[in-house]
């Protein structure tokens, strides 16, 4: 099968190569999926799990990619809940990756059924951003109707999901980003927008929740905006930013079939729009991950036409 592999951590996305690899086999509780579309987050190439196994042993050449949509072609021993020929979408384990390929072996529990009226590219684009937004807002942020949330990167793949889900649940949304992102953030449902290059973030006033995808100085300044009892939720890694009278939660998403089903149902009925910035073939994936210009939204690889 065709697959994209990496062997040199220092090279980043420039070190990606498209080669032939053996097709994977299904272990216990696995399924093999013929990948139709795959998503990728460049940050994966900085994760230790891309390069080593759980015991710290080198696992290169490794196939990156966690997000996928496709069709089940084989079941491992003991696998339940899915069947051969079923359309599915979801996330692979970060220590396995493997979705930037024509086939991937993946734990069945990490997948959910993909309805027939949802395109594979859409399925691959919503799993990671959708779960990140859902878990950050409702599990870790404990967001309630009538509260307010400051969403950094509101025009991005994750931020646009956060914005839409928060609005659906009756929350006041303030989005941030670059000046060029203003209209896109507002189109996704932000009720106000802060240009981080030109506007004063501190003018926002108090909010109940900050959803941070940036980290650093922005996270520290944002902590000062959180009302008593509020929460700073971040996916930008461990941070020293702390609200004066609240919580900071740094989290990594976990795959959840029930939540994936909630997310895809919202896509089907129009409550949730995907944020796809670029679609490329597997042959053109390496170039797509090294764009010559800034792309706003999720890059999705269409593995099968």
């Amino acid at each position: 099968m065709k697959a994209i592999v990496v062997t040199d951590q220092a090279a980043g996305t420039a070190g990606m190569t498209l080669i032939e690899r053996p097709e994977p086999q299904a272990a216990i509780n696995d399924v093999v999926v013929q990948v139709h579309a795959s998503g990728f987050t460049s940050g994966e190439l900085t994760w230790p799990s891309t390069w080593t196994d759980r015991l710290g042993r080198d696992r290169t050449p490794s196939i990156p990619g966690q997000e996928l949509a496709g069709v089940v072609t084989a079941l491992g021993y003991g696998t339940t809940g899915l069947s051969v020929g079923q359309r599915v979408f979801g996330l692979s384990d970060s220590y396995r990756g493997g979705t930037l390929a024509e086939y991937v072996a993946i734990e069945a529990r990490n997948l959910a059924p993909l309805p027939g009226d949802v395109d594979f590219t859409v399925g691959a684009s919503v799993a990671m951003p959708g779960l990140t937004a859902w878990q950050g807002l409702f599990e870790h942020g404990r967001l309630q109707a009538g509260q307010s949330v400051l969403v950094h990167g509101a025009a991005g793949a994750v931020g646009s999901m956060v914005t839409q889900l928060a609005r659906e649940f009756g929350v006041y949304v303030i989005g941030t980003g670059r000046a060029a992102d203003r209209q896109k953030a507002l189109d996704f449902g932000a009720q106000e927008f802060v240009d981080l290059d030109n506007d004063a973030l501190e003018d926002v006033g108090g909010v109940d929740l900050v959803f941070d995808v940036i980290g650093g100085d922005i996270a520290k300044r944002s902590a000062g905006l959180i009302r008593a009892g509020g929460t700073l939720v971040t996916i930008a890694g461990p941070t020293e930013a702390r609200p004066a009278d609240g919580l900071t939660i740094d989290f990594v998403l976990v795959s959840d079939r029930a939540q994936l089903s909630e997310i895809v149902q919202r896509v089907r009925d129009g409550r949730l729009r995907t944020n796809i910035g670029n679609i490329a073939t597997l042959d053109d994936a390496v170039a797509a991950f090294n764009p010559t210009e800034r792309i706003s939204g999720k890059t999705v690889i269409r593995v099968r036409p």
Side-chain angles (χ1 to χ4, degrees), residues 1 3-6 24 30-33 35 38-41 44-45 47-54 59 61-68 90-107 110-111 128:
M1 69 172 184
I4 290 176
V5 302
V6 290
D30 276 359
V31 297
V32 173
V33 176
V35 181
S38 174
F40 170 73
T41 302
E44 288 181 41
L45 300 188
W47 301 345
S49 55
T50 299
W51 308 98
T52 62
D53 65 16
R54 284 185 165 84
R59 71 178 190 89
S62 55
I63 303 171
Q66 277 195 274
E67 305 155 86
L68 81 156
L91 299 174
S92 73
D93 183 278
S94 64
Y95 282 92
R96 297 179 71 174
T99 70
L100 290 177
E102 293 181 305
Y103 292 87
V104 63
I106 181 172
E107 287 182 275
N110 288 345
L111 298 170
M128 184 177 287

Side-chain angles (χ1 to χ4, degrees), residues 13-126:
T13 54
M16 289 178 153
T17 309
L18 182 65
I19 64 171
E20 287 287 329
R21 295 283 290 167
E23 289 187 17
Q25 302 298 309
I28 295 173
N29 297 323
D30 276 359
V31 297
V32 173
V33 176
Q34 183 184 56
V35 181
H36 284 243
S38 174
F40 170 73
T41 302
S42 60
E44 288 181 41
L45 300 188
T46 67
W47 301 345
S49 55
T50 299
W51 308 98
T52 62
D53 65 16
R54 284 185 165 84
L55 297 177
R57 299 172 301 198
D58 178 35
R59 71 178 190 89
T60 59
S62 55
I63 303 171
Q66 277 195 274
E67 305 155 86
L68 81 156
V71 175
V72 176
T73 59
L75 304 177
Y77 180 78
T79 300
T80 60
L82 298 174
S83 57
V84 171
Q86 188 169 13
R87 300 170 95 250
V88 292
F89 78 116
L91 299 174
S92 73
D93 183 278
S94 64
Y95 282 92
R96 297 179 71 174
T99 70
L100 290 177
E102 293 181 305
Y103 292 87
V104 63
I106 181 172
E107 287 182 275
R109 66 178 182 172
N110 288 345
L111 298 170
L114 182 69
D117 56 357
V118 178
D119 189 80
F120 288 113
T121 55
V122 173
S125 72
V126 300

Side-chain angles (χ1 to χ4, degrees), residues 47-300:
W47 301 345
S49 55
T50 299
W51 308 98
T52 62
D53 65 16
R54 284 185 165 84
L55 297 177
R57 299 172 301 198
D58 178 35
R59 71 178 190 89
T60 59
S62 55
I63 303 171
Q66 277 195 274
E67 305 155 86
L68 81 156
V71 175
V72 176
T73 59
L75 304 177
Y77 180 78
T79 300
T80 60
L82 298 174
S83 57
V84 171
Q86 188 169 13
R87 300 170 95 250
V88 292
F89 78 116
L91 299 174
S92 73
D93 183 278
S94 64
Y95 282 92
R96 297 179 71 174
T99 70
L100 290 177
E102 293 181 305
Y103 292 87
V104 63
I106 181 172
E107 287 182 275
R109 66 178 182 172
N110 288 345
L111 298 170
L114 182 69
D117 56 357
V118 178
D119 189 80
F120 288 113
T121 55
V122 173
S125 72
V126 300
M128 184 177 287
L131 287 175
T132 301
W134 189 283
Q135 292 170 17
L137 286 173
F138 307 125
E139 290 188 357
H140 302 295
R142 306 181 309 282
L143 198 62
Q144 303 292 323
Q147 292 186 324
S148 57
V149 58
L150 178 68
V151 182
H152 289 308
V158 172
S160 59
M161 291 283 170
V162 175
T163 297
Q164 292 175 88
L165 287 172
R167 281 297 306 273
E168 180 193 341
F169 279 79
V171 171
Y172 190 85
V173 179
I174 305 165
T176 80
R178 299 180 181 181
D181 297 328
R182 179 185 300 272
Q183 192 56 52
K184 190 172 183 179
L186 295 174
D187 290 345
F188 274 114
Q191 289 145 294
E192 293 181 38
F193 183 83
V194 177
D195 172 359
L196 291 176
D197 292 327
N198 299 297
D199 297 336
L201 181 60
E202 287 69 20
D203 288 347
V204 165
V207 295
D208 298 292
L209 176 70
V210 172
F211 200 115
D212 172 47
V213 301
I214 300 172
D217 182 60
I218 291 295
K220 290 180 181 178
R221 292 165 61 195
S222 300
L225 304 176
I226 295 173
R227 296 188 181 114
T231 309
L232 170 66
V233 170
T234 182
I235 59 170
T239 177
E240 295 178 1
R242 295 285 184 275
D245 188 13
L247 296 174
T248 292
I249 298 175
D250 158 36
F251 81 101
V252 176
L253 71 92
V254 294
S255 195
D256 185 295
R257 182 178 290 173
Q259 292 174 7
L260 286 170
S261 296
E262 290 274 6
I263 290 160
V264 80
Q265 181 57 47
R266 283 167 169 76
V267 172
R268 292 182 76 193
D269 62 24
R271 284 178 288 167
L272 197 58
R273 289 190 293 124
T274 56
N275 187 1
I276 299 174
N278 186 26
I279 299 175
T281 65
L282 189 59
D283 288 341
D284 296 330
V286 173
F289 295 139
N290 292 278
T292 55
E293 58 187 39
R294 181 172 179 254
I295 296 172
S296 177
K298 189 84 183 170
T299 295
V300 177

